């Protein structure tokens, strides 16, 4: 309907769908920050425990990881992903396409690798996969009572490093999901995952920092640093409609494709701006870098429906 190369049927890519140190303490109250709206420095700690530092001078996720690595004198490749305002492995607090100017960044580093041999007894393994935007795909969600759910060694937050000895490093989440989907049913294969380095305090709740809620140097609290598709980062006022739209689009991506990516959802939302119908929207997607996803007609229509619902305040 929209484009010759787009599949007419809804084919989900997958329903299958990271330095040993002294035992850390729970995050301590951060020092007085030189943060200002102009300098755009952010509080940062290693999730398994470290002093607090500040990171700045980055315009995309990859550069952010490089700045964090420099701050803690570790290779950026040791960082699996970051969470915001929580040092726990909380997939609801993943750093995606934007950072609030008051957010505290926790970097999760590579921990123990694990190799598991399993048999794909069903079409779907039960994984939702996302990636960190810098070359590592990892498990965001595990479906209850799925194949993976019954393998305790594979957990949410684990980086998928290899499949049958083939490296998945540098691949996007949809490529890893597709590789898992293409494994024939009843085939036995080996998956190598790397869990994030964990502290002995992972079940504790971080103590609120002194003066929390009054970080005057961080701006109004309604502003966020957005990582845009063109490689530039831009401070914007928080857009409530966009936030709802991105969340809903992400839900559709997970249902149809087994992937979760707030940055991708943000790009899709941006492409819908000023589009008056689904045809215009589909054309904008096909003419963008997102054409590589080969979204089906059904998926485009589903996403457009959510976008119009958000615009008309029906959600």
């Amino acid at each position: 309907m929209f484009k010759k190369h787009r599949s007419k049927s809804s084919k989900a890519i997958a329903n299958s769908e990271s330095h040993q140190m002294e035992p850390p303490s729970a995050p301590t109250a951060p020092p007085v920050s030189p943060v200002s709206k102009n300098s755009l420095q952010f509080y940062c700690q290693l999730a398994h425990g470290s002093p607090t530092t500040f990171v700045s001078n980055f315009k995309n996720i990859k550069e952010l990881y490089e700045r964090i690595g420099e701050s803690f004198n570790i290779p950026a490749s040791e960082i699996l992903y970051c969470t915001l305002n929580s040092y726990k492995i909380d997939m609801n607090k993943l750093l995606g396409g934007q950072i609030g100017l008051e957010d505290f960044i926790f970097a999760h580093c590579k921990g123990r690798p694990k190799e598991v041999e399993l048999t794909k007894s069903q079409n779907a393994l039960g994984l939702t996969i996302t990636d960190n935007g810098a070359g590592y795909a990892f498990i965001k969600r595990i479906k209850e009572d799925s194949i993976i759910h019954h393998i305790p060694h594979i957990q949410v937050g684990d980086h998928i490093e290899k499949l049958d000895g083939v490296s998945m490093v540098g691949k996007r989440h949809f490529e890893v999901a597709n590789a898992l989907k293409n494994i024939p049913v009843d085939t036995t294969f080996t998956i190598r995952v790397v869990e994030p380095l964990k502290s002995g305090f992972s079940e504790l709740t971080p103590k609120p920092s002194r003066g929390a809620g009054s970080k005057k140097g961080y701006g109004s609290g309604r502003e966020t640093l957005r990582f845009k598709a063109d490689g530039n980062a831009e401070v914007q006022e928080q857009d409530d409609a966009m936030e709802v739209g991105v969340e809903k689009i992400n839900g559709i991506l997970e249902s149809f494709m087994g992937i979760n990516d707030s940055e991708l959802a943000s790009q899709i939302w941006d492409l819908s701006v000023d589009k008056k119908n689904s045809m215009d929207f589909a054309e904008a997607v096909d003419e963008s870098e997102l054409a590589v996803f080969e979204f089906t007609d059904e998926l485009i229509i589903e996403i457009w429906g959510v976008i119009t619902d958000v615009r008309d305040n029906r959600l």
Side-chain angles (χ1 to χ4, degrees):
M1 180 175 73
F2 295 123
K3 198 83 169 177
K4 289 184 179 178
H5 75 260
R6 182 179 289 122
S7 170
K8 298 295 181 182
S9 62
S10 171
K11 294 181 180 178
I13 289 181
N15 260 340
S16 36
E17 284 187 41
S18 1
H19 320 11
Q20 194 63 37
M21 304 178 70
E22 292 298 317
S25 59
T28 56
V32 177
S33 170
V35 171
S36 70
K37 180 177 177 181
N38 294 325
S39 66
L40 290 179
Q41 294 177 299
F42 296 85
Y43 290 122
C44 182
Q45 286 185 5
L46 300 180
H48 57 277
S50 75
T52 298
T53 187
F54 304 106
V55 293
S56 61
N57 299 320
F58 57 89
K59 63 181 181 182
N60 54 48
I61 299 293
K62 187 175 181 181
E63 289 185 4
L64 169 59
Y65 286 15
E66 290 171 355
R67 300 294 89 78
I68 294 174
E70 291 167 2
S71 295
F72 293 104
N73 196 29
I74 60 174
S77 59
E78 286 295 306
I79 303 170
L80 287 179
Y81 47 80
C82 295
T83 51
L84 299 177
N85 308 313
S86 173
Y87 60 92
K88 296 182 180 180
I89 303 171
D90 186 342
M91 297 292 103
N92 294 318
K93 298 185 182 296
L94 280 175
L95 186 156
Q98 61 185 32
I99 307 174
L101 297 193
E102 292 186 353
D103 285 340
F104 197 126
I105 301 171
F106 291 90
H108 297 256
C109 296
K110 287 183 179 179
R112 179 182 59 173
K114 302 173 287 188
E115 285 198 356
V116 179
E117 187 178 87
L118 66 150
T119 299
K120 186 179 179 181
S121 57
Q122 305 171 17
N123 281 318
L125 292 169
L127 297 179
T128 295
I129 300 172
T130 189
D131 65 47
N132 66 355
Y136 292 157
F138 56 94
I139 300 169
K140 181 177 175 69
R141 209 164 353 261
I142 297 175
K143 185 177 181 180
E144 189 173 355
D145 206 31
S146 64
I147 296 173
I148 298 297
H149 182 252
H150 295 291
I151 302 175
H153 303 295
I154 301 177
Q155 300 176 345
V156 167
D158 287 355
H159 159 50
I160 301 175
E161 185 182 57
K162 293 182 180 180
L163 295 176
D164 272 342
V166 178
S167 175
M168 296 292 111
V169 175
K171 296 185 182 296
R172 294 300 312 275
H173 44 32
F174 65 94
E175 295 177 291
V176 177
N178 203 31
L180 288 165
K181 171 183 175 290
N182 289 336
I183 296 172
V185 175
D186 294 329
T187 297
T188 298
F189 68 99
T190 300
I191 182 172
R192 179 182 171 94
V193 297
V194 180
E195 67 180 27
L197 195 59
K198 299 171 184 175
S199 74
F201 297 86
S202 60
E203 298 305 316
L204 296 180
T205 301
K207 297 179 180 179
S209 60
R210 290 171 292 181
S214 60
K215 300 173 186 174
K216 297 179 181 178
Y218 274 32
S220 67
R222 296 282 298 177
E223 294 170 312
T224 60
L225 181 69
R226 284 196 62 206
F227 301 106
K228 302 180 73 65
D230 60 10
N232 295 316
E234 181 179 306
V235 176
Q236 297 182 346
E237 286 290 322
Q238 181 175 315
D239 183 339
D240 291 336
M242 175 183 175
E243 190 172 334
V244 173
V246 167
E247 180 183 356
K248 296 298 182 182
I249 292 171
N250 223 349
I252 293 173
L253 293 175
E254 183 170 335
S255 296
F256 276 73
M257 301 171 65
I259 63 175
N260 189 291
D261 187 337
S262 58
E263 184 176 1
L264 172 60
S266 295
Q267 286 181 251
I268 293 173
W269 176 267
D270 289 343
L271 289 171
S272 74
V273 174
D274 298 329
K275 304 302 182 295
K276 298 188 177 353
N277 55 59
S278 58
M279 295 289 289
D280 291 344
F281 172 57
E283 185 175 354
V285 171
D286 283 329
E287 293 177 353
S288 74
E289 63 181 14
L290 303 189
V292 67
F293 288 90
E294 297 185 351
F295 294 139
T296 65
D297 286 353
E298 185 179 355
L299 180 55
I300 288 290
I301 291 170
E302 191 79 17
I303 292 173
W304 181 253
V306 161
I307 290 168
T308 55
D309 282 346
V310 172
R311 287 180 180 177
D312 296 337
N313 295 316
R314 291 193 291 268
L315 291 178

